[in-house]
Amino acid sequence: MKNSKILAALAALALLGAVSACKTKVAEDVPGDFTFRGQAIHPAAINALYRSANGQINLADFKTNLEASQLEDQPGWWITDFEEDPFSQKSPFFAYVAFAGSVSGGAEIYILSITFNAGETADIDNILLLQKNGSWLGLIRVWNEGSACNGGILAQRMDGENFLYSRELTPLDLLDLSLDVRLSLNAHEDLEATSESCYAAANYVYSLTQDREDLVSVRLYDEPKLDEKGLTDKLRYQSCFNRVFNAYVAEGKTALAPKEVDEFARRFRDECLKPAAALPAPVDK
C-alpha cells in the first residue's frame, strides 16, 4: 500500500514537472523572421520604439492587451488598432512590414516600412532601419515621414542587400529633387502641395552595406493635368507648371534620370519664373 502511494506521488510530480516544462519552454526565433519568442513582433511594440526617447525597447519587458493581425490584402503587414478617439471617432492604428538584412554575431538588421494614424488627417508613412539583438530592438536610422502625395511610400522591396522604394511627389517635391536648379517656392502659394497633388513618384535605392541612398529615377504619372478654375488660378505658377508637365507627358518623357529632373526644373524656371522680355515702346506716328 505504501509503495502504491509512493509511486502515485512520483507520477504526480513527474506530470507536474512535464506541465511546468511546457509552460516555461520558449520558442526560438529564426534569424530573418522578425519574431520574438516565436511570434511576430507586435506592432504596438514598434510604435513604442518609434516614439521612444532613446530609440530602444526591450521586448521581454513590453506588455500590451491590444490584438495584432495580418492585413489580408497586404501580405507581410502586421497591424494593431488602438482605442477609438471619442472626438474624431477615428480609430488610431499602427502597421509595419519587415524586410530582413544581414545577421552578424547574433545581431539581426531589418528595414521596416511603417504606416500609422494617431489622429492625423491622412495616414503617415516612414522607413526604419533597426537592429535586433536578443530581446532588444534599437533604431539605427529613421527616414523622413511622408503622407499621401506628400512623400507617401510605396513599392517597398528587398533586392539582395538593397532596399528599394518609391515616394509620391507633389509639384513642389518634384522640383526640390533637382540638385543643379535650386528654386525658392512656397507651398499652397506658388504650387500645389496637397494630399491629392500626386504628379510623380521618386524611386530610391538604399544600400545596407554602404549605408547610402540614391535617387534612381522619377516617374511622371502619364495623365495630363488640367487647370481647375478657382484652384489653379489661385497659385502663382501652377498653370505654367501644368503646361511643362503636360509637354513632357505628350513627348513620352515620363521616366526621368536624376539629370533629367534637373532639366525639368530648368525648363520650369525658364518658362515660368523668368520675367517676360519687355515689349518695345510704341512708336508715335
Side-chain angles (χ1 to χ4, degrees):
M1 187 70 177
K2 184 181 291 187
N3 289 338
S4 299
K5 289 182 178 180
I6 292 174
L7 291 173
L10 290 174
L13 286 172
L15 180 60
L16 181 61
V19 171
S20 298
C22 290
K23 287 184 177 180
T24 58
K25 187 177 180 180
V26 176
E28 293 185 5
D29 296 315
V30 178
D33 282 355
F34 200 59
T35 59
F36 180 62
R37 294 175 178 171
Q39 300 294 321
I41 294 177
H42 202 291
I46 305 302
N47 178 58
L49 173 67
Y50 186 62
R51 303 183 187 284
S52 65
N54 61 359
Q56 290 186 327
I57 188 172
N58 187 353
L59 296 172
D61 295 335
F62 180 79
K63 301 291 187 293
T64 181
N65 293 323
L66 297 170
E67 292 185 2
S69 60
Q70 295 192 66
L71 292 175
E72 294 182 1
D73 57 342
Q74 293 178 273
W77 281 85
W78 286 88
I79 186 171
T80 190
D81 292 302
F82 300 95
E83 292 185 8
E84 182 180 287
D85 187 312
F87 298 102
S88 65
Q89 294 186 330
K90 290 184 177 179
S91 294
F93 72 91
F94 192 97
Y96 78 85
V97 61
F99 300 89
S102 60
V103 179
S104 178
E108 306 165 40
I109 299 298
Y110 293 91
I111 286 187
L112 268 61
S113 183
I114 66 172
T115 184
F116 62 89
N117 193 307
E120 294 84 2
T121 55
D123 297 346
I124 308 296
D125 299 333
N126 209 343
I127 298 169
L128 314 178
L129 176 67
L130 56 83
Q131 182 185 77
K132 178 178 181 289
N133 199 334
S135 65
W136 284 91
L137 293 181
L139 286 174
I140 300 174
R141 175 174 175 174
V142 179
W143 275 246
N144 294 324
E145 292 182 348
S147 178
C149 296
N150 291 292
I153 297 169
L154 61 157
Q156 311 94 316
R157 63 196 185 281
M158 286 293 295
D159 183 6
E161 288 295 309
N162 293 323
F163 177 69
L164 296 85
Y165 72 99
S166 303
R167 279 190 185 269
E168 301 259 39
L169 301 174
T170 66
L172 200 60
D173 295 330
L174 173 56
L175 294 171
D176 282 346
L177 289 177
S178 173
L179 298 178
D180 291 348
V181 182
R182 307 309 298 167
L183 304 169
S184 295
L185 298 169
N186 298 316
H188 312 299
E189 295 179 9
D190 296 327
L191 290 170
E192 286 185 38
T194 71
S195 61
E196 298 179 353
S197 304
C198 291
Y199 275 64
N203 303 311
Y204 293 95
V205 58
Y206 172 73
S207 169
L208 276 76
T209 54
Q210 300 178 34
D211 187 26
R212 170 178 168 172
E213 181 169 274
D214 293 299
L215 173 67
V216 177
S217 64
V218 170
R219 178 171 63 89
L220 304 183
Y221 294 149
D222 56 7
E223 183 177 343
K225 299 296 183 179
L226 302 177
D227 291 352
E228 297 183 40
K229 188 174 181 180
L231 176 62
T232 309
D233 51 12
K234 291 183 179 180
L235 303 168
R236 293 187 186 97
Y237 309 116
Q238 188 61 52
S239 182
C240 187
F241 182 94
N242 287 349
R243 288 199 296 275
V244 173
F245 180 90
N246 290 342
Y248 267 72
V249 172
E251 295 164 11
K253 297 179 179 179
T254 55
L256 307 182
K259 284 297 181 183
E260 292 173 313
V261 175
D262 292 332
E263 294 172 7
F264 183 99
R266 191 174 294 112
R267 181 169 174 178
F268 168 79
R269 181 197 63 192
D270 295 345
E271 294 185 18
C272 304
L273 301 187
K274 285 190 175 182
L279 296 174
V283 179
D284 293 332
K285 293 183 178 179

